[in-house]
Amino acid sequence: MKGSKVEIVQVLDKKFTPYINQEEIAELVTRVAKEVSRDLRNEKPIFLPVLNGSFMFASDLMKQLGFPAELSFIKFSSYQNTETTGTVKELIGFERSMKGRTVVVIEDIVDTGYTMQTLIQTLKEKEAKQVKVVTLFSKPEARKVEVPIDYLGMEIGNNFIVGYGLDYNGEGRNLPCIYELVKD
Ligand code: 5GP
Ligand code: MG
């Protein structure tokens, strides 16, 4: 953010205003990385960033752990079910066995909690020893189901954000800081 001038960014048809700058994000990531490293380095954890949103956070976080770790990306693939009108979401990308492992899920943001609930359930079915949840942001006001968050960057209000991995309809993931939607 240069001086006091607020630089509005246009992403597709919406305007976004700066919300969390790069320095602030870096502080959150460094603190979380220290906590995770302190607690889990002796567990030989496997880290599971949830694509696409967590790619930048996961990259910065993993670099700061300070020990060699195992990493495997997962993703919710949604596809139109031809037999029904609904959209089916499937978890893909499990390349390694989760059985008996300490699994550390890396998320960009926990909103309603449905994504994390599904993921934790899946990891239990895959017989993970324990599941730890790391998320950069959480929107407690938006929560529909309770999910455990073990490591949190910060709580935010119920506003739509983009940047640092988060998109608006496919755009804006590359923005280096966080912007929030300007309501019209
Ligand atoms: P949940 O299942 O908790 O409702 O949603 C989690 C996912 O929704 C996040 O991983 C993220 O991809 C998306 N999401 C939730 N809130 C926001 C937001 O404010 N901005 C963006 N870009 N994505 C969000
Ligand atoms: Mg996500």
mmCIF file of all heavy atoms in Angstrom, residues 133-162:
data_model
loop_
_atom_site.group_PDB
_atom_site.id
_atom_site.type_symbol
_atom_site.label_atom_id
_atom_site.label_comp_id
_atom_site.label_asym_id
_atom_site.label_seq_id
_atom_site.Cartn_x
_atom_site.Cartn_y
_atom_site.Cartn_z
ATOM 1 N N VAL A 133 -5.566 -29.306 11.647
ATOM 2 C CA VAL A 133 -6.049 -28.353 10.660
ATOM 3 C C VAL A 133 -5.308 -27.023 10.803
ATOM 4 O O VAL A 133 -5.281 -26.436 11.881
ATOM 5 C CB VAL A 133 -7.568 -28.119 10.821
ATOM 6 C CG1 VAL A 133 -8.049 -27.015 9.886
ATOM 7 C CG2 VAL A 133 -8.339 -29.411 10.581
ATOM 8 N N VAL A 134 -4.699 -26.607 9.688
ATOM 9 C CA VAL A 134 -4.052 -25.295 9.622
ATOM 10 C C VAL A 134 -4.824 -24.468 8.615
ATOM 11 O O VAL A 134 -5.032 -24.904 7.478
ATOM 12 C CB VAL A 134 -2.591 -25.410 9.112
ATOM 13 C CG1 VAL A 134 -1.931 -24.040 9.086
ATOM 14 C CG2 VAL A 134 -1.790 -26.376 9.948
ATOM 15 N N THR A 135 -5.265 -23.284 9.010
ATOM 16 C CA THR A 135 -5.920 -22.409 8.035
ATOM 17 C C THR A 135 -5.436 -20.982 8.229
ATOM 18 O O THR A 135 -5.222 -20.540 9.359
ATOM 19 C CB THR A 135 -7.461 -22.514 8.110
ATOM 20 O OG1 THR A 135 -8.036 -21.722 7.058
ATOM 21 C CG2 THR A 135 -8.023 -22.036 9.436
ATOM 22 N N LEU A 136 -5.265 -20.292 7.124
ATOM 23 C CA LEU A 136 -4.810 -18.907 7.216
ATOM 24 C C LEU A 136 -5.922 -18.022 7.768
ATOM 25 O O LEU A 136 -5.691 -17.182 8.624
ATOM 26 C CB LEU A 136 -4.342 -18.411 5.843
ATOM 27 C CG LEU A 136 -3.736 -17.012 5.793
ATOM 28 C CD1 LEU A 136 -2.585 -16.850 6.769
ATOM 29 C CD2 LEU A 136 -3.284 -16.677 4.379
ATOM 30 N N PHE A 137 -7.148 -18.237 7.280
ATOM 31 C CA PHE A 137 -8.272 -17.416 7.732
ATOM 32 C C PHE A 137 -9.445 -18.284 8.180
ATOM 33 O O PHE A 137 -9.603 -19.419 7.734
ATOM 34 C CB PHE A 137 -8.764 -16.492 6.606
ATOM 35 C CG PHE A 137 -7.712 -15.553 6.120
ATOM 36 C CD1 PHE A 137 -7.211 -15.660 4.820
ATOM 37 C CD2 PHE A 137 -7.205 -14.562 6.946
ATOM 38 C CE1 PHE A 137 -6.226 -14.788 4.362
ATOM 39 C CE2 PHE A 137 -6.217 -13.690 6.505
ATOM 40 C CZ PHE A 137 -5.730 -13.807 5.212
ATOM 41 N N SER A 138 -10.265 -17.686 9.044
ATOM 42 C CA SER A 138 -11.504 -18.325 9.458
ATOM 43 C C SER A 138 -12.572 -17.247 9.554
ATOM 44 O O SER A 138 -12.303 -16.133 9.994
ATOM 45 C CB SER A 138 -11.326 -18.999 10.826
ATOM 46 O OG SER A 138 -12.577 -19.424 11.334
ATOM 47 N N LYS A 139 -13.780 -17.615 9.096
ATOM 48 C CA LYS A 139 -14.923 -16.693 9.206
ATOM 49 C C LYS A 139 -15.921 -17.293 10.184
ATOM 50 O O LYS A 139 -16.849 -17.996 9.765
ATOM 51 C CB LYS A 139 -15.615 -16.562 7.841
ATOM 52 C CG LYS A 139 -14.857 -15.799 6.791
ATOM 53 C CD LYS A 139 -15.734 -15.766 5.536
ATOM 54 C CE LYS A 139 -15.066 -15.029 4.421
ATOM 55 N NZ LYS A 139 -15.842 -15.135 3.156
ATOM 56 N N PRO A 140 -15.749 -17.049 11.482
ATOM 57 C CA PRO A 140 -16.636 -17.692 12.466
ATOM 58 C C PRO A 140 -18.118 -17.366 12.275
ATOM 59 O O PRO A 140 -18.976 -18.214 12.514
ATOM 60 C CB PRO A 140 -16.131 -17.181 13.817
ATOM 61 C CG PRO A 140 -15.086 -16.172 13.543
ATOM 62 C CD PRO A 140 -14.709 -16.227 12.111
ATOM 63 N N GLU A 141 -18.403 -16.173 11.783
ATOM 64 C CA GLU A 141 -19.818 -15.788 11.595
ATOM 65 C C GLU A 141 -20.512 -16.605 10.505
ATOM 66 O O GLU A 141 -21.737 -16.690 10.476
ATOM 67 C CB GLU A 141 -19.923 -14.312 11.186
ATOM 68 C CG GLU A 141 -19.594 -13.343 12.288
ATOM 69 C CD GLU A 141 -19.335 -11.939 11.719
ATOM 70 O OE1 GLU A 141 -20.096 -11.504 10.836
ATOM 71 O OE2 GLU A 141 -18.355 -11.321 12.153
ATOM 72 N N ALA A 142 -19.721 -17.194 9.614
ATOM 73 C CA ALA A 142 -20.302 -17.940 8.494
ATOM 74 C C ALA A 142 -20.443 -19.427 8.787
ATOM 75 O O ALA A 142 -20.992 -20.175 7.985
ATOM 76 C CB ALA A 142 -19.428 -17.764 7.253
ATOM 77 N N ARG A 143 -19.975 -19.855 9.959
ATOM 78 C CA ARG A 143 -19.910 -21.291 10.239
ATOM 79 C C ARG A 143 -21.295 -21.941 10.310
ATOM 80 O O ARG A 143 -22.188 -21.435 10.974
ATOM 81 C CB ARG A 143 -19.164 -21.528 11.558
ATOM 82 C CG ARG A 143 -18.571 -22.908 11.634
ATOM 83 C CD ARG A 143 -17.324 -23.119 10.767
ATOM 84 N NE ARG A 143 -16.118 -22.746 11.484
ATOM 85 C CZ ARG A 143 -15.346 -21.712 11.170
ATOM 86 N NH1 ARG A 143 -15.636 -20.939 10.146
ATOM 87 N NH2 ARG A 143 -14.277 -21.433 11.866
ATOM 88 N N LYS A 144 -21.420 -23.071 9.618
ATOM 89 C CA LYS A 144 -22.662 -23.863 9.664
ATOM 90 C C LYS A 144 -22.442 -25.161 10.432
ATOM 91 O O LYS A 144 -23.366 -25.704 11.007
ATOM 92 C CB LYS A 144 -23.126 -24.206 8.236
ATOM 93 C CG LYS A 144 -23.504 -22.994 7.405
ATOM 94 C CD LYS A 144 -24.965 -22.631 7.595
ATOM 95 C CE LYS A 144 -25.448 -21.656 6.549
ATOM 96 N NZ LYS A 144 -25.436 -20.272 7.078
ATOM 97 N N VAL A 145 -21.224 -25.675 10.384
ATOM 98 C CA VAL A 145 -20.881 -26.871 11.162
ATOM 99 C C VAL A 145 -19.573 -26.606 11.910
ATOM 100 O O VAL A 145 -18.687 -25.921 11.405
ATOM 101 C CB VAL A 145 -20.703 -28.130 10.270
ATOM 102 C CG1 VAL A 145 -22.046 -28.630 9.768
ATOM 103 C CG2 VAL A 145 -19.757 -27.876 9.103
ATOM 104 N N GLU A 146 -19.503 -27.133 13.127
ATOM 105 C CA GLU A 146 -18.303 -26.956 13.938
ATOM 106 C C GLU A 146 -17.151 -27.782 13.372
ATOM 107 O O GLU A 146 -17.320 -28.969 13.095
ATOM 108 C CB GLU A 146 -18.577 -27.409 15.380
ATOM 109 C CG GLU A 146 -19.230 -26.347 16.244
ATOM 110 C CD GLU A 146 -18.481 -25.019 16.237
ATOM 111 O OE1 GLU A 146 -17.245 -25.026 16.455
ATOM 112 O OE2 GLU A 146 -19.125 -23.981 15.977
ATOM 113 N N VAL A 147 -16.014 -27.163 13.183
ATOM 114 C CA VAL A 147 -14.824 -27.917 12.789
ATOM 115 C C VAL A 147 -13.651 -27.478 13.667
ATOM 116 O O VAL A 147 -13.551 -26.302 14.017
ATOM 117 C CB VAL A 147 -14.455 -27.742 11.288
ATOM 118 C CG1 VAL A 147 -15.416 -28.470 10.389
ATOM 119 C CG2 VAL A 147 -14.344 -26.291 10.899
ATOM 120 N N PRO A 148 -12.789 -28.431 14.038
ATOM 121 C CA PRO A 148 -11.648 -28.060 14.867
ATOM 122 C C PRO A 148 -10.591 -27.346 14.028
ATOM 123 O O PRO A 148 -10.259 -27.797 12.934
ATOM 124 C CB PRO A 148 -11.118 -29.418 15.350
ATOM 125 C CG PRO A 148 -11.540 -30.386 14.298
ATOM 126 C CD PRO A 148 -12.799 -29.857 13.687
ATOM 127 N N ILE A 149 -10.115 -26.216 14.506
ATOM 128 C CA ILE A 149 -8.990 -25.535 13.844
ATOM 129 C C ILE A 149 -7.838 -25.528 14.837
ATOM 130 O O ILE A 149 -7.958 -24.990 15.937
ATOM 131 C CB ILE A 149 -9.363 -24.100 13.416
ATOM 132 C CG1 ILE A 149 -10.458 -24.137 12.342
ATOM 133 C CG2 ILE A 149 -8.121 -23.356 12.893
ATOM 134 C CD1 ILE A 149 -10.964 -22.776 11.918
ATOM 135 N N ASP A 150 -6.742 -26.176 14.463
ATOM 136 C CA ASP A 150 -5.619 -26.302 15.387
ATOM 137 C C ASP A 150 -4.654 -25.125 15.288
ATOM 138 O O ASP A 150 -4.049 -24.731 16.279
ATOM 139 C CB ASP A 150 -4.886 -27.619 15.111
ATOM 140 C CG ASP A 150 -5.800 -28.815 15.315
ATOM 141 O OD1 ASP A 150 -6.063 -29.148 16.485
ATOM 142 O OD2 ASP A 150 -6.301 -29.368 14.319
ATOM 143 N N TYR A 151 -4.505 -24.601 14.079
ATOM 144 C CA TYR A 151 -3.581 -23.479 13.855
ATOM 145 C C TYR A 151 -4.263 -22.477 12.937
ATOM 146 O O TYR A 151 -4.689 -22.841 11.842
ATOM 147 C CB TYR A 151 -2.266 -23.970 13.234
ATOM 148 C CG TYR A 151 -1.603 -25.033 14.081
ATOM 149 C CD1 TYR A 151 -1.827 -26.380 13.825
ATOM 150 C CD2 TYR A 151 -0.793 -24.679 15.156
ATOM 151 C CE1 TYR A 151 -1.254 -27.364 14.619
ATOM 152 C CE2 TYR A 151 -0.207 -25.652 15.960
ATOM 153 C CZ TYR A 151 -0.446 -26.990 15.685
ATOM 154 O OH TYR A 151 0.112 -27.952 16.479
ATOM 155 N N LEU A 152 -4.348 -21.223 13.410
ATOM 156 C CA LEU A 152 -5.104 -20.206 12.680
ATOM 157 C C LEU A 152 -4.275 -18.944 12.488
ATOM 158 O O LEU A 152 -3.647 -18.456 13.437
ATOM 159 C CB LEU A 152 -6.380 -19.879 13.478
ATOM 160 C CG LEU A 152 -7.221 -18.696 12.994
ATOM 161 C CD1 LEU A 152 -7.843 -18.980 11.636
ATOM 162 C CD2 LEU A 152 -8.312 -18.373 14.024
ATOM 163 N N GLY A 153 -4.273 -18.423 11.244
ATOM 164 C CA GLY A 153 -3.657 -17.123 10.983
ATOM 165 C C GLY A 153 -4.453 -16.034 11.668
ATOM 166 O O GLY A 153 -4.021 -15.441 12.645
ATOM 167 N N MET A 154 -5.667 -15.783 11.188
ATOM 168 C CA MET A 154 -6.544 -14.816 11.858
ATOM 169 C C MET A 154 -8.008 -15.007 11.500
ATOM 170 O O MET A 154 -8.338 -15.553 10.448
ATOM 171 C CB MET A 154 -6.110 -13.371 11.555
ATOM 172 C CG MET A 154 -6.361 -12.913 10.132
ATOM 173 S SD MET A 154 -5.759 -11.212 9.841
ATOM 174 C CE MET A 154 -7.163 -10.252 10.404
ATOM 175 N N GLU A 155 -8.864 -14.554 12.418
ATOM 176 C CA GLU A 155 -10.300 -14.542 12.161
ATOM 177 C C GLU A 155 -10.633 -13.283 11.382
ATOM 178 O O GLU A 155 -10.065 -12.218 11.639
ATOM 179 C CB GLU A 155 -11.071 -14.538 13.477
ATOM 180 C CG GLU A 155 -11.038 -15.866 14.174
ATOM 181 C CD GLU A 155 -11.929 -15.902 15.426
ATOM 182 O OE1 GLU A 155 -12.403 -14.824 15.862
ATOM 183 O OE2 GLU A 155 -12.123 -17.001 15.952
ATOM 184 N N ILE A 156 -11.547 -13.423 10.429
ATOM 185 C CA ILE A 156 -11.999 -12.253 9.676
ATOM 186 C C ILE A 156 -13.520 -12.212 9.695
ATOM 187 O O ILE A 156 -14.175 -13.196 10.044
ATOM 188 C CB ILE A 156 -11.478 -12.252 8.212
ATOM 189 C CG1 ILE A 156 -11.979 -13.478 7.445
ATOM 190 C CG2 ILE A 156 -9.956 -12.167 8.178
ATOM 191 C CD1 ILE A 156 -11.683 -13.415 5.948
ATOM 192 N N GLY A 157 -14.072 -11.064 9.311
ATOM 193 C CA GLY A 157 -15.527 -10.913 9.234
ATOM 194 C C GLY A 157 -16.086 -11.659 8.044
ATOM 195 O O GLY A 157 -15.353 -12.274 7.269
ATOM 196 N N ASN A 158 -17.381 -11.548 7.897
ATOM 197 C CA ASN A 158 -18.064 -12.332 6.864
ATOM 198 C C ASN A 158 -18.079 -11.606 5.510
ATOM 199 O O ASN A 158 -19.123 -11.467 4.891
ATOM 200 C CB ASN A 158 -19.486 -12.649 7.338
ATOM 201 C CG ASN A 158 -20.044 -13.868 6.644
ATOM 202 O OD1 ASN A 158 -19.381 -14.463 5.793
ATOM 203 N ND2 ASN A 158 -21.267 -14.228 6.980
ATOM 204 N N ASN A 159 -16.916 -11.127 5.072
ATOM 205 C CA ASN A 159 -16.815 -10.456 3.774
ATOM 206 C C ASN A 159 -16.043 -11.329 2.794
ATOM 207 O O ASN A 159 -15.169 -12.089 3.202
ATOM 208 C CB ASN A 159 -16.069 -9.127 3.907
ATOM 209 C CG ASN A 159 -16.830 -8.156 4.772
ATOM 210 O OD1 ASN A 159 -18.064 -8.198 4.836
ATOM 211 N ND2 ASN A 159 -16.097 -7.303 5.463
ATOM 212 N N PHE A 160 -16.330 -11.177 1.523
ATOM 213 C CA PHE A 160 -15.645 -11.962 0.495
ATOM 214 C C PHE A 160 -14.277 -11.358 0.209
ATOM 215 O O PHE A 160 -14.150 -10.158 -0.027
ATOM 216 C CB PHE A 160 -16.482 -12.011 -0.789
ATOM 217 C CG PHE A 160 -15.942 -12.976 -1.787
ATOM 218 C CD1 PHE A 160 -16.208 -14.332 -1.678
ATOM 219 C CD2 PHE A 160 -15.142 -12.539 -2.831
ATOM 220 C CE1 PHE A 160 -15.681 -15.244 -2.585
ATOM 221 C CE2 PHE A 160 -14.605 -13.437 -3.746
ATOM 222 C CZ PHE A 160 -14.878 -14.794 -3.620
ATOM 223 N N ILE A 161 -13.242 -12.208 0.229
ATOM 224 C CA ILE A 161 -11.876 -11.732 -0.005
ATOM 225 C C ILE A 161 -11.236 -12.424 -1.214
ATOM 226 O O ILE A 161 -11.628 -13.545 -1.573
ATOM 227 C CB ILE A 161 -10.985 -11.921 1.251
ATOM 228 C CG1 ILE A 161 -10.928 -13.389 1.699
ATOM 229 C CG2 ILE A 161 -11.450 -11.025 2.386
ATOM 230 C CD1 ILE A 161 -9.913 -13.674 2.813
ATOM 231 N N VAL A 162 -10.268 -11.739 -1.822
ATOM 232 C CA VAL A 162 -9.470 -12.345 -2.906
ATOM 233 C C VAL A 162 -7.993 -12.036 -2.678
ATOM 234 O O VAL A 162 -7.634 -11.139 -1.930
ATOM 235 C CB VAL A 162 -9.833 -11.835 -4.329
ATOM 236 C CG1 VAL A 162 -11.224 -12.202 -4.734
ATOM 237 C CG2 VAL A 162 -9.579 -10.350 -4.474
#
